[in-house]
Amino acid sequence: MWPDAIVSPLDEALAMFCNGVHAFGPFCDHLLGYWNASLENPDRVLFLKYEDLKKDSLSEIKKIATFVGLPFSKEEEKAGLIGEISELCSFGKLKDLEVNKTGIHYGSFLNNSLYRKGEIGDWVNYLTPEMAQRMKKLVEAKLNGSGLVLDI
């Protein structure tokens, strides 16, 4: 069971997020740092979005393999290796790993809280319309002019 001091209501967590209070620093600044690094050094930083991985995992896996210098051969593609890797790395497989069912992430929250459904847009089932609008405005303002577009 969690100590009461660690658990905060979602609206309080959103307020902290919007104010840049996060265990790893302001999220949008963190995101933009990696986005800009990927633009400045595309051979050293690969920027991926979860939504793209969910929509077309095979293409994204091929992109990752090429990025790390190990592109798939035609034979490997034909044999279905990319699909096998996609299945091994799928949300369902990762969610079912014992390490992701137990333990505490960085001493802050339960590992299993990192996995809900793995569906794009599922956040609408957790945030009120007001909360969603606040989040959308913040993200759009922070990312404005960067070229980075998130599907919100």
Side-chain angles (χ1 to χ4, degrees):
M1 193 49 141
W2 282 97
D4 289 338
I6 294 176
V7 177
S8 63
L10 189 55
D11 56 347
E12 185 177 325
L14 178 64
M16 291 171 61
F17 176 88
C18 291
N19 290 324
V21 178
H22 188 274
F24 304 105
F27 177 77
C28 289
D29 294 346
H30 180 76
L31 187 65
L32 280 173
Y34 279 103
W35 171 251
N36 290 329
S38 74
L39 296 176
E40 294 165 11
N41 298 296
D43 57 327
R44 297 191 66 203
V45 180
L46 178 62
F47 192 94
L48 301 171
K49 295 189 275 183
Y50 181 76
E51 292 79 5
D52 295 342
L53 285 162
K54 286 291 287 187
K55 289 176 188 172
D56 188 2
S57 62
L58 301 184
S59 292
E60 295 297 300
I61 291 169
K62 286 173 66 173
K63 187 187 300 183
I64 294 166
T66 300
F67 178 78
V68 299
L70 298 168
F72 293 99
S73 68
K74 294 290 180 201
E75 294 79 23
E76 289 170 327
E77 286 190 44
K78 193 173 182 179
L81 184 59
I82 302 170
E84 289 177 30
I85 291 170
S86 178
E87 177 57 30
L88 283 171
C89 298
S90 70
F91 181 86
K93 288 276 188 184
L94 293 174
K95 183 177 182 176
D96 286 340
L97 292 175
E98 190 60 34
V99 69
N100 294 326
K101 292 180 180 181
T102 60
I104 297 177
H105 184 76
Y106 289 107
S108 304
F109 47 88
L110 297 173
N111 285 350
N112 66 6
S113 68
L114 295 170
Y115 296 88
R116 290 190 321 258
K117 297 177 188 171
E119 295 175 4
I120 296 172
D122 186 48
W123 58 269
V124 300
N125 296 312
Y126 298 89
L127 301 181
T128 65
E130 295 79 18
M131 294 167 81
Q133 188 60 28
R134 182 175 181 194
M135 174 77 81
K136 183 177 180 177
K137 283 183 180 179
L138 171 80
V139 171
E140 286 175 349
K142 292 282 189 176
L143 302 183
N144 187 32
S146 69
L148 176 59
V149 177
L150 300 180
D151 301 327
I152 300 176

